[in-house]
């Protein structure tokens, strides 16, 4: 099955993300970006849906208080999107792709089975994610969201100790403050291990071939082997603030913008 693609974004989209969304449409997927405010300049074939219907904006305040002007603080966007993708799984919305996943070929999956890949040794990535709505990972997140404290029962011992020390010292009473990815890849990995689902994980090369080495995407290099590798379905890119910069000639980014259409360079935002 070729699934619909869904993601979440908060703020304006930069050129890199627009290029990646175009690549997802070019691969033959229906693509929908959820947001709280309308997104201007979305590529043809990309829809925009109301995020409030999936996970209320007010949920963000359970992660951390907003700024005085109401805007979200530091890690809020990333952690909110960790919960948002699980809510989309519960709603049978489709395959989650981060907005900075460049698809090189269509994604085909079995809707009865999980779909994810190793990001690095012993840790799954959650930038590419599909789970059946009755999957135990989805259920675990749904149960977690019913708690006021948002303290997972799958939390690693080192994180429990860190959280306890922060509580005792008065530094924080929120688990969300101890680590930006506390509800992200590590949580997915722990739950997949607990549910015996690691067997479904695709190899790292399928989506994370350049994730840890963004220079392979942004700098001039010979990327022919990446494009020719049949194992690579897409590339999750870690832009490190470079999503709004113009591509360097001879880079994989320059190839992607030419292949999928060079976008204008709006200001960066945040999200999935």
């Amino acid at each position: 099955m070729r699934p619909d693609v869904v993601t979440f974004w908060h703020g304006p989209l930069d050129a890199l993300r627009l290029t990646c969304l175009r690549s997802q449409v070019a691969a033959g997927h229906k693509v929908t970006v959820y947001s709280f405010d309308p997104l201007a300049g979305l590529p043809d074939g990309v829809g925009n849906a109301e995020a409030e219907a999936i996970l209320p904006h007010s949920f963000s305040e359970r992660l951390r208080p907003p700024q005085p002007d109401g805007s979200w603080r530091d890690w809020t966007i990333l952690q909110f999107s960790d919960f948002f993708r699980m809510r989309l799984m519960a709603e049978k919305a489709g395959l989650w792709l981060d907005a900075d996943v460049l698809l090189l070929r269509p994604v085909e999956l079995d809707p009865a089975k999980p779909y994810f890949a190793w990001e690095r040794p012993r840790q799954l990535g959650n930038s590419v994610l599909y789970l059946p709505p009755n999957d135990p990972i989805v259920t675990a997140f749904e149960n977690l969201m019913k708690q006021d404290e948002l303290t997972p029962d799958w939390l690693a011992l080192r994180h429990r100790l860190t959280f306890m020390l922060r509580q005792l010292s008065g530094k924080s009473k929120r688990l969300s403050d101890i680590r930006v990815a506390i509800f992200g890849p590590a949580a997915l990995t722990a739950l997949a291990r607990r549910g015996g689902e690691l067997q479904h994980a695709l190899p790292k090369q399928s989506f994370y071939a350049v994730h840890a080495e963004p220079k392979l995407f942004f700098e001039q290099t010979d990327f022919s082997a990446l494009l020719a590798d049949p194992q690579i379905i897409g590339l999750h890119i870690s832009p490190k603030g470079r999503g709004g910069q113009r591509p360097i000639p001879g880079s994989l980014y320059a190839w992607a913008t030419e292949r999928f259409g060079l976008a204008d360079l709006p200001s960066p935002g945040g999200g999935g």
Side-chain angles (χ1 to χ4, degrees), residues 12 77 86 160 171 189 227-228 256 272:
I77 293 175
M86 291 298 178
R160 291 184 183 277
K171 289 183 178 179
T189 307
L227 297 182

Side-chain angles (χ1 to χ4, degrees), residues 1 56 103-104 113-114 119 131 140 144 166 183 214 223 234 255 269:
M1 184 193 79
L103 276 191
L104 301 180
K113 297 179 181 178
E119 179 181 320
L131 297 168
L144 174 63
R166 290 181 70 91
F183 304 113
F223 50 83
W255 173 88

Side-chain angles (χ1 to χ4, degrees), residues 54-191:
I54 301 297
L55 186 60
H57 190 282
S58 59
F59 181 80
S60 65
E61 297 180 16
R62 296 173 61 188
L63 297 170
R64 60 186 46 79
Q67 302 278 16
D69 64 358
S71 61
W72 285 356
R73 298 175 184 269
D74 42 60
W75 297 350
T76 304
I77 293 175
L78 291 173
Q79 292 179 346
F80 187 90
S81 76
D82 289 335
F83 285 93
F84 198 92
R85 72 196 72 196
M86 291 298 178
R87 286 291 304 126
L88 288 172
M89 298 303 105
E91 295 291 328
K92 299 189 260 189
L95 167 73
W96 170 281
L97 293 182
D98 275 10
D100 49 14
V101 172
L102 186 82
L103 276 191
L104 301 180
R105 49 183 55 86
V107 174
E108 304 284 347
L109 57 77
D110 181 343
K113 297 179 181 178
Y115 188 91
F116 40 56
W118 293 107
E119 179 181 320
R120 58 191 188 202
R122 298 185 297 279
Q123 181 168 289
L124 299 172
N126 70 346
S127 302
V128 177
L129 179 67
Y130 168 80
L131 297 168
N134 60 350
D135 189 275
I137 298 173
V138 177
T139 302
F141 265 84
E142 291 285 285
N143 291 337
L144 174 63
M145 293 172 67
K146 296 174 183 176
Q147 300 179 16
D148 291 334
E149 300 85 6
L150 294 179
T151 303
D153 62 5
W154 63 83
L155 198 63
L157 177 59
R158 68 183 186 279
H159 292 144
R160 291 184 183 277
L161 292 174
T162 299
F163 186 40
M164 182 183 68
L165 291 173
R166 290 181 70 91
Q167 286 179 306
L168 291 173
S169 66
K171 289 183 178 179
S172 175
K173 295 182 179 180
R174 296 172 184 263
L175 179 71
S176 55
D177 289 335
I178 73 169
R179 187 167 179 259
V180 62
I182 194 70
F183 304 113
L188 175 63
T189 307
L191 288 170

Side-chain angles (χ1 to χ4, degrees), residues 180-236:
V180 62
I182 194 70
F183 304 113
L188 175 63
T189 307
L191 288 170
R193 181 178 293 110
R194 187 167 79 178
E197 297 183 279
L198 291 179
Q199 60 182 311
H200 298 293
L202 296 170
K204 174 185 175 181
Q205 197 74 354
S206 58
F207 287 102
Y208 298 100
V210 304
H211 171 74
E213 297 183 82
K215 65 181 182 179
L216 295 178
F217 185 79
F218 289 101
E219 298 179 14
Q220 184 176 5
T221 183
D222 180 4
F223 50 83
S224 57
L226 291 172
L227 297 182
D229 189 337
Q231 272 199 313
I232 297 179
I233 302 167
L235 299 169
H236 177 243

